[in-house]
Amino acid sequence: MTARPASDRRASDRLASVAGAVAARPGERVLEVGCGAGVLVTLLAAAVDPGPVVAVDRSARMVAAASRRNRAAVEAGRVRLVAAPLVDAGLVEERFDVVVAVDVRAFWTPPAPEWDVVARVLVPDGRVVLGASVMRAGDAGRVRAQAARAAGERGLAVTATAQADTVPFPTATIELRRPGGG
């Protein structure tokens, strides 16, 4: 058995923490924004079998890497990858139980139009899970406040927060839902 590179182990540790916060159940429809090379896609697809998991990333190169990593799930129709910014991804008719993003600054940096898409595609009792690397003291609180403000403008509120001691930086997670949601 070949050992994974250290960078892959770190990413997996961090992304496994976020996947645990998502705690997707079989059959839930999951949207990952900013999927990168597809490590979290792999974890999510395993949890929600038969899925589906839709993953979006603005980088065609990252989507190609995610496609290679998740080839079997893509071929089985359990994972669909889209190379486009979220606001241009064409998710017009689709609805999701969970939207997840890790280190996607657009969710806490104004004007944050990505929240308009999330508010439209999220089912009424759905949830959003954001993960953020905590590189400096105060990062988690700042990200939480800025994401809460942007999401609040679209009818979502923070319902849970956590922080995991992942390598190389701790990972903060923020869960948001519509008030009165599940």
Side-chain angles (χ1 to χ4, degrees), residues 57-64 83-84:
D57 198 292
R58 65 178 53 241
S59 167
R61 196 163 79 179
M62 287 291 95
V63 169

Side-chain angles (χ1 to χ4, degrees), residues 92-119:
V92 177
E93 299 295 323
E94 297 181 73
R95 299 296 174 262
F96 297 93
D97 300 291
V98 182
V99 176
V100 60
V102 179
D103 288 332
V104 178
R105 294 185 190 285
F107 283 105
W108 55 85
T109 305
E114 292 76 9
W115 281 111
D116 296 328
V117 177
V118 169

Side-chain angles (χ1 to χ4, degrees), residues 48-179:
V48 299
D49 186 17
V53 173
V54 175
V56 175
D57 198 292
R58 65 178 53 241
S59 167
R61 196 163 79 179
M62 287 291 95
V63 169
S67 182
R68 286 189 300 275
R69 179 184 294 274
N70 292 282
R71 184 174 319 281
V74 169
E75 289 173 356
R78 292 188 1 253
V79 168
R80 183 166 56 93
L81 299 158
V82 179
L86 179 61
V87 296
D88 298 326
L91 303 173
V92 177
E93 299 295 323
E94 297 181 73
R95 299 296 174 262
F96 297 93
D97 300 291
V98 182
V99 176
V100 60
V102 179
D103 288 332
V104 178
R105 294 185 190 285
F107 283 105
W108 55 85
T109 305
E114 292 76 9
W115 281 111
D116 296 328
V117 177
V118 169
R120 182 175 42 78
V121 302
L122 193 64
V123 299
D125 60 342
R127 58 203 167 89
V128 179
V129 176
L130 300 179
S133 296
V134 180
M135 296 182 206
R136 293 178 301 275
D139 278 356
R142 180 184 51 77
V143 166
R144 184 180 306 119
Q146 291 175 333
R149 186 172 28 261
E153 294 171 2
R154 280 77 170 190
L156 295 153
V158 174
T159 55
T161 61
Q163 187 163 311
D165 290 326
T166 56
V167 176
F169 302 103
T171 301
T173 55
I174 307 159
E175 181 185 270
L176 304 103
R177 293 180 184 250
R178 288 186 176 93

